[in-house]
Amino acid sequence: MLRGSDRHVNASNVKQVIVAPSLLAADFSKLGEEIRRAVGAGADWLHLDVMDGHFVDNISFGPAVVAMAEAASDIFLDVHLMISRPDHYLPRFIEAGADMVTVHIEAAHDVTETLQRIREAGLRAGLALNPETPLAAVEPHFDAIDLLLCMTVVPGFGGQAFMPEVLEKIEDAAKLRKKHGHGFLIEVDGGIDTHSAASCRAAGADVMVAGSSTFRAPDMAAAIRAIRGE
Ligand code: DX5
Ligand code: ZN
């Protein structure tokens, strides 16, 4: 594991970091305005957390909100499906205008087939794993994905504390990616703020999902820059 000064020499400190504010932490009474506020503050992507009340213990929103986000701006839509049957609902999220769809390895579907369908539709394919799921579970899919999402909280709710024990998994994923020449990005999601983002960047993560620490910051632009490490 990288520690202390080692972090300053890690190549991930100099590469481009993507910040994806999570709409879950926005003011739901004015979602279109909130999306434009994120874009104006320098967000690279918009992260959309879809929860079905079954795969996770919460219900958020579905394809209609993704379609609204697509109409509200041109920002890249990073759709995170925390649902039991992503294979069943996939066409509706493609139709709604998602640019990337990320599905969970723990959900009840044929993962190989779902990832293939996402790419065949011309979208980027992401694969997510929960904090307790070992990296070995997703490794067989490394050639079929554009993004690996390492959850840094147990999914379901915004505003939870970052789990530092996931850093080792991020480092292992980054090492394997380098060793085998894979092209996927590594995304982290849950409890990401200036401090935890720095650890994740040092571990090799490229995409920082941040809800509370961006939408609820007094200065969203400054928060996004800080998470990016600028
Ligand atoms: C957690 C969601 C996250 C969440 C992040 O289940 O997948 O995207 O919105 O929220 P914060 O940044 O507040 O932890
Ligand atoms: Zn998410």
Side-chain angles (χ1 to χ4, degrees):
M1 197 163 153
L2 294 168
R3 291 194 193 281
S5 59
D6 287 346
R7 291 198 173 127
H8 301 293
V9 296
N10 188 289
S12 65
N13 284 351
V14 292
K15 74 184 171 201
Q16 182 61 43
V17 172
I18 293 167
V19 180
S22 166
L23 195 65
L24 203 59
D27 181 341
F28 274 39
S29 71
K30 45 177 183 177
L31 285 177
E33 249 176 75
E34 287 284 80
I35 291 168
R36 289 184 287 272
R37 184 165 73 90
V39 173
D44 301 294
W45 295 359
L46 184 71
H47 186 81
L48 295 148
D49 286 306
V50 176
M51 305 178 181
D52 65 354
H54 185 69
F55 182 75
V56 291
D57 188 27
N58 198 7
I59 300 174
S60 58
F61 49 75
V65 168
V66 177
M68 176 282 298
E70 162 70 7
S73 92
D74 289 334
I75 195 167
F76 184 92
L77 300 180
D78 168 27
V79 177
H80 177 193
L81 298 184
M82 285 163 278
I83 64 179
S84 292
R85 292 294 308 275
D87 52 338
H88 178 75
Y89 289 99
L90 181 61
R92 299 185 221 184
F93 289 99
I94 294 170
E95 175 69 26
D99 293 293
M100 159 144 9
V101 172
T102 296
V103 295
H104 271 261
I105 187 78
E106 303 88 356
H109 61 128
D110 180 331
V111 176
T112 303
E113 193 186 308
T114 308
L115 292 170
Q116 201 178 336
R117 285 170 60 202
I118 298 170
R119 279 189 164 174
E120 276 170 10
L123 278 65
R124 306 286 172 92
L127 184 59
L129 75 171
N130 287 339
E132 71 275 14
T133 303
L135 196 58
V138 290
E139 262 187 71
H141 302 284
F142 278 3
D143 277 329
I145 59 174
D146 302 295
L147 175 136
L148 179 70
L149 167 50
C150 294
M151 290 305 301
T152 44
V153 297
V154 175
F157 297 89
Q160 302 184 78
F162 175 76
M163 295 170 65
E165 57 268 38
V166 181
L167 286 170
E168 209 173 315
K169 186 156 70 181
I170 298 165
E171 287 169 359
D172 290 346
K175 276 184 209 151
L176 281 173
R177 170 174 67 175
K178 193 172 177 190
K179 185 174 168 198
H180 299 294
H182 297 296
F184 59 82
L185 295 169
I186 299 175
E187 181 176 66
V188 287
D189 183 6
I192 300 298
D193 58 14
T194 309
H195 183 74
S196 53
S199 307
C200 290
R201 292 195 313 270
D206 317 276
V207 185
M208 311 287 138
V209 174
S212 316
S213 68
T214 56
F215 274 105
R216 297 184 189 172
D219 181 342
M220 194 177 189
I224 288 174
R225 283 195 301 270
I227 289 166
R228 207 182 274 127
E230 291 171 358

